[in-house]
Amino acid sequence: MNTIMEAFLFFLPAGIANMSPVLAARLPLLKNWKTPLDMGKSVDGHRLLGANKTWRGLLFGALMAAITAGIIYRILEDGNGLAAAMLVGGLMGFGALIGDAVESYFKRRRGVKPGEAWFPFDQTDYIIGGLLFVAPFTGLSVNLALAVFILYFVLHVVTSYIGYLVGLKDKPI
């Protein structure tokens, strides 16, 4: 049970970052900032990433990840590492959302429409991105990385379905 809790807390900033763009789109101060990451560029008639991948979502998600990491650090640790924890958390969230954007690029190349499921890549892109972005800065073991991957894959499926049930998402997965 210790490994599961450690995996949950370690990667929670990325999980929060992954959910944040949906929330940012509904915040009154941010909802009109819709500048796409790909700046509207297309290749062969297909958008590079699509309109759903925005600077608003990327920056808000990274900020929420940094704040989440800071809160976790303050609850669990004593000492002077708050800034470093927030930096790593923000980087993890940024990496998670970049992983999602990279997956969207390949999704567009395969002709999968925005919002359409591309299982299991939709459920794993942010995990791979988040882990890759912080790997050089953490002592992440293979066991912990595997626990993060499995736990957050399952959590993604469950939270996506809950998001669908409460009307935040159009499709269950």
Side-chain angles (χ1 to χ4, degrees):
M1 189 62 150
N2 239 1
T3 302
I4 293 171
M5 185 54 76
E6 185 180 358
F8 177 76
L9 291 173
F10 175 78
F11 206 68
L12 184 59
I16 295 296
N18 193 49
M19 295 186 305
S20 292
V22 173
L23 300 174
R26 289 170 167 70
L27 292 175
L29 290 173
L30 297 176
K31 70 179 180 181
N32 292 326
W33 182 27
K34 301 176 185 175
T35 307
L37 286 173
D38 66 10
M39 305 304 273
K41 302 234 184 285
S42 297
V43 173
D44 298 329
H46 297 283
R47 288 283 299 273
L48 289 175
L49 302 175
N52 294 336
K53 303 300 174 215
T54 65
W55 286 101
R56 170 191 61 211
L58 178 66
L59 297 176
F60 185 74
L63 175 64
M64 298 308 336
I67 290 169
T68 301
I71 291 168
I72 292 168
Y73 181 84
R74 294 297 289 181
I75 291 169
L76 298 178
E77 299 291 335
D78 289 335
N80 297 325
L82 179 62
M86 291 182 74
L87 182 62
V88 170
L91 188 60
M92 184 186 299
F94 186 81
L97 294 170
I98 291 296
D100 185 53
V102 168
E103 180 261 347
S104 288
Y105 172 81
F106 289 105
K107 198 173 181 179
R108 298 295 87 78
R109 301 292 68 72
R110 303 244 335 143
V112 180
K113 294 180 175 143
E116 291 294 317
W118 198 31
F119 188 85
F121 305 106
D122 287 330
Q123 292 73 28
T124 58
D125 54 9
Y126 78 105
I127 302 168
I128 295 167
L131 290 174
L132 285 176
F133 268 62
V134 298
F137 308 104
T138 63
L140 187 63
S141 69
V142 173
N143 286 344
L144 184 58
L146 187 58
V148 163
F149 192 87
I150 293 167
L151 176 63
Y152 275 88
F153 176 83
V154 171
L155 285 174
H156 187 276
V157 172
V158 170
T159 57
S160 289
Y161 189 70
I162 291 169
Y164 167 73
L165 291 176
V166 300
L168 292 174
K169 295 186 72 147
D170 296 332
K171 301 193 183 217
I173 292 184

